[in-house]
Amino acid sequence: MVRAIPDGRPVVLVGPMAVGKSAIGQQLAHQLRLPFVDTDAVVVAAHGSIADIFAGRGEHAFREIEARAVAKAIESAKEEPAIISLGGGAVLDSGTQQLLGDCTVVYLECDAETVADRIARNTGRPLLQGDGMIRWEALFATRRPVYERLADIVMDVRSGSVAEIGLHLEERLLQHAALKEEVEK
């Protein structure tokens, strides 16, 4: 049985690379018995690895492909509820930002210490080539204001297991929906 998202709007997880958007999104989707869509995985399934797209076609081409995948996922989720995870830079696209206005946007907030081990283990991120942590911190500094501006819910993911964060996020979504309903009365 599929449960409804509290306010009926697609739930979209945003945040920096390696913060856990995919794992937390899968957990939340499991809890709510909803489909999970990872837009990075959608791009990879249709076009090959992100690193190969960057190497062969450049970041601009990747961002165009990514924006189309995000738009399709959001439009589909308006018809059939889903939990959607976006790549770290997807929010930079102005069209994506507009589409997110029709969603409940959850910013998974963290710091460099939270993601350092994951970044050290993952060498497949094209924007983190060289000194991954220095590059991550620079990207995060420029993207953080966008995440904060777009967010309906800010979820600190510095501590707790994926399951604990998923349960807390479900609770926050219910609170957010109730508050929105109260404001709209």
Side-chain angles (χ1 to χ4, degrees):
M1 175 180 129
V2 175
R3 289 165 51 183
I5 293 174
D7 67 1
R9 295 162 36 118
V11 174
V12 180
L13 306 183
V14 301
M17 286 183 273
V19 73
K21 295 180 299 286
S22 296
I24 294 166
Q26 287 174 341
Q27 176 65 36
L28 181 63
H30 174 76
Q31 288 167 209
L32 297 176
R33 296 182 201 95
L34 292 170
F36 172 69
V37 179
D38 181 329
T39 58
D40 279 350
V42 170
V43 169
V44 168
H47 300 277
S49 80
I50 293 170
D52 288 348
I53 297 168
F54 266 76
R57 299 168 64 188
E59 182 176 0
H60 181 74
F62 169 75
R63 294 295 174 202
E64 288 178 348
I65 292 166
E66 178 181 52
R68 286 192 300 272
V70 169
K72 185 176 180 183
I74 290 172
E75 289 307 313
S76 294
K78 288 178 182 177
E79 301 298 318
E80 180 182 334
I83 306 299
I84 303 168
S85 167
L86 303 190
V91 297
L92 302 176
D93 180 78
S94 61
T96 295
Q97 290 180 23
Q98 287 181 338
L99 290 171
L100 291 174
D102 294 331
C103 302
T104 300
V105 179
V106 179
Y107 163 38
L108 300 182
E109 182 184 45
C110 70
D111 54 22
E113 187 177 316
T114 306
V115 300
D117 286 343
R118 292 181 214 150
I119 289 171
R121 289 191 309 260
N122 187 338
T123 58
R125 298 177 190 269
L127 291 177
L128 298 183
Q129 297 308 307
D131 188 330
M133 282 311 300
I134 289 173
R135 304 257 316 156
W136 184 91
E137 288 174 336
L139 288 168
F140 183 52
T142 61
R143 295 172 179 177
R144 183 180 190 167
V146 180
Y147 299 141
E148 290 172 345
R149 178 173 50 82
L150 295 172
D152 295 299
I153 297 171
V154 177
M155 186 79 196
D156 185 336
V157 297
R158 288 177 183 89
S159 64
S161 68
V162 169
E164 291 167 339
I165 292 169
L167 290 171
H168 187 57
L169 179 50
E170 182 178 359
E171 183 179 295
R172 294 280 306 275
L173 286 166
L174 290 167
Q175 291 169 350
H176 176 74
L179 184 60
K180 257 185 84 177
E181 188 177 304
E182 193 64 34
V183 169
E184 291 171 359
K185 283 185 179 177

